């Protein structure tokens, strides 16, 4: 079993540059095949599945899923994707380190997101609208991480421009 312990290691599996030390947004189809074996996560992850690829397991329990399903992973859990006919999963994954939550409003309110604590044998089914919203969130986060900051970015907020 592989251990996914940090963002650098995750990005290495996707042959992409680490743009933030605590957060990554990646497209599943770009993953190295070793990513789909048994992987223990030492971070939180949301995985949006956009095709049928084979069998999906979380903590050795098979999960029912469909196109547009969302699965959640918390530190200490394992995920395995057994690919059928070498069909790679398509979709998005947002991964973030637990220490990203420390001393933030999100960290204070994180207890409200109970779906990370749910151990169902089924992925979270999303409506078409929900799927579109979540997909757009992944895309927007990916774009934000890949947009280089410039020397004026911080200045515009401080000057109140655009508010």
């Amino acid at each position: 079993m592989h251990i996914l312990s940090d963002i650098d290691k995750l990005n290495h599996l996707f042959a992409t540059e680490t743009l933030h030390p605590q957060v990554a947004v990646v497209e599943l189809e770009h993953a190295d095949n070793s990513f789909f074996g048994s992987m223990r996560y030492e971070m939180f992850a949301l995985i949006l599945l956009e095709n049928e690829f084979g069998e999906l397991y979380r903590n050795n329990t098979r999960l029912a899923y469909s196109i547009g399903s969302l699965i959640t992973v918390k530190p200490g859990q394992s995920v395995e994707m057994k690919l059928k006919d070498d069909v790679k999963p398509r979709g998005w994954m947002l991964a973030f380190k637990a220490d990203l939550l420390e001393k933030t409003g999100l960290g204070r309110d994180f207890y409200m997101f109970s779906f990370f604590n749910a151990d169902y044998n089924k992925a979270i089914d999303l409506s078409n609208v929900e799927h579109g919203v979540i997909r757009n969130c992944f895309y927007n986060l990916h774009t934000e991480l890949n947009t280089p900051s410039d020397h004026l970015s911080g200045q515009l907020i401080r000057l109140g421009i655009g508010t």
Side-chain angles (χ1 to χ4, degrees):
M1 174 182 298
H2 296 283
I3 298 173
L4 192 54
S5 56
D6 59 51
I7 297 299
D8 283 333
K9 186 170 183 175
L10 172 70
N11 285 325
H12 177 75
L13 290 170
F14 284 82
T16 189
E17 179 184 359
T18 298
L19 301 169
H20 191 285
Q22 296 179 317
V23 179
V25 179
V26 293
E27 292 181 79
L28 295 177
E29 62 196 43
H30 298 302
D32 181 271
N33 281 341
S34 64
F35 175 77
F36 304 115
S38 187
M39 182 80 63
R40 190 178 86 217
Y41 286 66
E42 295 302 325
M43 61 186 72
F44 289 96
L46 292 167
I47 304 170
L48 182 64
L49 304 169
E50 296 192 327
N51 71 329
E52 293 183 17
F53 54 82
E55 296 177 354
L56 174 64
Y57 295 84
R58 182 176 54 204
N59 291 339
N60 298 317
T61 300
R62 188 172 180 185
L63 293 180
Y65 73 94
S66 59
I67 296 172
S69 290
L70 183 72
I71 64 168
T72 61
V73 184
K74 64 183 178 181
Q77 290 185 320
S78 64
V79 172
E80 182 176 7
M81 298 176 183
K82 293 185 178 179
L83 307 183
K84 169 183 65 177
D85 301 325
D86 291 325
V87 174
K88 271 192 165 181
R90 286 192 327 267
W92 292 86
M93 181 169 102
L94 164 65
F96 59 95
K97 299 289 290 176
D99 51 350
L100 179 69
L101 302 173
E102 292 177 11
K103 300 177 185 171
T104 67
L106 180 59
R108 274 191 321 272
D109 298 336
F110 199 68
Y111 69 90
M112 294 188 310
F113 301 109
S114 61
F115 53 82
F116 278 105
N117 294 319
D119 276 334
Y120 304 117
N121 58 352
K122 189 172 191 263
I124 300 168
D125 289 326
L126 302 173
S127 70
N128 288 339
V129 171
E130 292 168 328
H131 175 255
V133 169
I134 298 293
R135 189 175 201 285
N136 284 341
C137 288
F138 282 120
Y139 178 77
N140 289 338
L141 288 167
H142 184 263
T143 300
E144 179 71 22
L145 286 170
N146 282 284
T147 301
S149 60
D150 58 35
H151 70 283
L152 292 177
S153 298
Q155 300 298 320
L156 294 176
I157 293 171
R158 205 168 349 154
L159 294 173
I161 296 173
T163 56

